[in-house]
Amino acid sequence: MMMLRLAAAWASVAIFLLFGDSLLGLLGAPLPSLLIFVWLLAVIVWAAFGVVHEAEELAERLGEPYGTLILTLSIVIIEVALVGAVMLGAKGAPTLGRDTMFAVLMIVLNGVVGIGLLIGGLRHFQQRYNLKGASSYLAVIIPLTVIPLFLPNFTTSTPDGTLTPFQAVAFSLFTVLLYGAFLILQTGRHRMFFREPELEGELPAAAVAEGEGASSSSMREILPHVGLLLANILPIVILSKSLAKVLDFGIAKLGAPPALGGILIAMVVFTPECITALRAITANQVQRAVNLCLGGAASTLGMTVPAVLLIGVFTGQPVVLGLSATNMVIAAMTLLLSTLTFTGTRTTMLEGAVHLAVFFVFLVLVFSP
């Protein structure tokens, strides 16, 4: 299966590198357009599942939080590639970065968390997780959401939710530094915050020694999986430009809401990770699911904001980050609910139902704002 997946992905890359202009020239016809879209979508999603598989193999060897961190960073790299490909396209997309980040927050923090808490409550009644880890994620997610997605609507230098070049560079630097500091602490002195609660009693020194021993002894096993991880990511990045053109054409042709592009990118990229999170909750591994969901939201904001802003600065394209008034209300409610959900040490079905309700409101407002 692994070799078949890689063969299909790289064969598609070769075809689009050689004949991509001719294939994309067929987008005016309905049937060829649909077939090209399904082809690219299937290959990218299949390769994304390959990324998840290799990341899970690495997770078993490296332990938490390294396993889920590798997965979330890999997924977000794919997302940034897709967003960048659309923004660098002929028509540009000033709101795509904002729409994608907002869609990821809604899908992950409301959709996946809601479904996961309902499934976990049905199977296990109440589930435990590491409160310190969840609180650390939220402490980073809140400023990374409010500063780029809320503040542009209230600054006086620009009136339309955009930022000046100075503000864009300053916000990008702030985002990189904050997320980088979080990663250093997550993989360093505070890594025990992101493991299952029952591991909290281990001595830090013993845990470090154990981790170092496992790392040195299994390096030969780790490197092949790193190579396979990259071999699955690269085709997605290369094909992202072609998929971006198809999405841009399809949304314009159908007259669909512009925000649908960001939602589709978020769904394409994060579907494998979301399935992995739900499987972890079903297996009563709530901390792993928390690392995937909250970590996915944090990495999306931490990497997409600077990428989108810098693309805008260097290309001169307008980048609209400020959310609409309606979406700011939903985003604020999501952050508040997430804080309430993850302030205890156990989760319940009621919290899942509330998150799902907010997610359905988000979906309704996409098509009927």
Side-chain angles (χ1 to χ4, degrees):
M1 181 65 71
M2 175 188 65
M3 298 308 299
L4 181 61
R5 179 191 294 117
L6 289 175
W10 283 102
S12 298
V13 168
I15 291 172
F16 273 88
L17 287 178
L18 295 173
F19 310 107
D21 292 338
S22 301
L23 290 172
L24 295 176
L26 302 174
L27 289 180
L31 183 59
S33 301
L34 179 61
L35 292 177
I36 293 172
F37 173 72
V38 172
W39 176 12
L40 287 171
L41 183 65
V43 170
I44 287 177
V45 171
W46 197 16
F49 275 102
V51 172
V52 171
H53 174 73
E54 298 306 326
E56 287 182 332
E57 292 290 333
L58 289 171
E60 291 182 2
R61 289 160 174 77
L62 297 175
E64 293 295 343
Y66 305 104
T68 52
L69 180 60
I70 291 171
L71 176 55
T72 54
L73 291 179
S74 301
I75 292 297
V76 174
I77 288 172
I78 298 170
E79 177 205 337
V80 171
L82 281 169
V83 172
V86 176
M87 291 184 65
L88 294 173
K91 297 181 180 180
T95 64
L96 183 71
R98 176 199 70 185
D99 294 338
T100 302
M101 288 185 285
F102 182 59
V104 169
L105 290 176
M106 294 301 104
I107 291 171
V108 172
L109 296 185
N110 286 324
V112 179
V113 168
I115 295 173
L117 294 183
L118 285 177
I119 294 175
L122 287 172
R123 290 181 63 92
H124 305 287
F125 189 60
Q126 288 184 333
Q127 294 181 286
R128 298 180 60 208
Y129 61 92
N130 196 323
L131 175 61
K132 294 180 180 178
S135 299
S136 300
Y137 278 123
L138 289 172
V140 174
I141 290 172
I142 291 173
L144 288 182
T145 300
V146 173
I147 291 175
L149 299 182
F150 286 46
L151 278 186
N153 291 326
F154 302 98
T155 55
T156 57
S157 300
T158 53
D160 53 358
T162 60
L163 298 171
T164 65
F166 173 73
Q167 289 172 335
V169 173
F171 283 13
S172 298
L173 182 61
F174 154 77
T175 302
V176 170
L177 291 176
L178 178 58
Y179 186 60
F182 172 74
L183 291 182
I184 292 172
L185 293 174
Q186 183 186 22
T187 57
R189 64 191 304 173
H190 290 166
R191 63 182 178 274
M192 293 304 294
F193 291 178
F194 305 93
R195 297 182 180 179
E196 294 292 339
E198 55 267 28
L199 298 179
E200 287 183 346
E202 294 182 0
L203 293 175
V208 171
E210 180 185 351
E212 291 176 350
S215 176
S216 61
S217 64
S218 59
M219 186 58 67
R220 291 182 179 179
E221 298 179 3
I222 292 173
L223 290 178
H225 290 290
V226 172
L228 290 172
L229 182 72
L230 295 175
N232 281 282
I233 289 178
L234 286 176
I236 301 175
V237 174
I238 296 171
L239 293 173
S240 62
K241 184 177 180 180
S242 299
L243 180 63
K245 291 182 178 179
V246 177
L247 284 175
D248 186 40
F249 171 81
I251 290 174
K253 192 73 174 178
L254 296 174
L260 188 60
I263 295 173
L264 289 175
I265 290 177
M267 290 179 64
V268 168
V269 173
F270 278 88
T271 292
E273 184 177 3
C274 292
I275 292 175
T276 303
L278 293 177
R279 286 169 52 193
I281 290 178
T282 303
N284 206 21
Q285 298 173 346
V286 182
Q287 187 58 47
R288 176 168 170 77
V290 168
N291 290 346
L292 287 169
C293 292
L294 299 186
S299 59
T300 294
L301 296 163
M303 296 175 64
T304 307
V305 168
V308 168
L309 289 177
L310 292 179
I311 288 175
V313 170
F314 288 115
T315 63
Q317 294 185 48
V319 175
V320 179
L321 282 184
L323 294 170
S324 66
T326 303
N327 287 341
M328 281 196 296
V329 172
I330 298 177
M333 182 164 50
T334 298
L335 294 176
L336 177 60
L337 286 175
S338 298
T339 303
L340 293 174
T341 298
F342 295 107
T343 51
T345 57
R346 296 178 183 271
T347 61
T348 64
M349 291 178 61
L350 177 60
E351 295 157 339
V354 174
H355 281 276
L356 270 184
V358 177
F359 180 67
F360 286 132
V361 170
F362 159 70
L363 291 179
V364 170
L365 293 176
V366 169
F367 297 97
S368 180

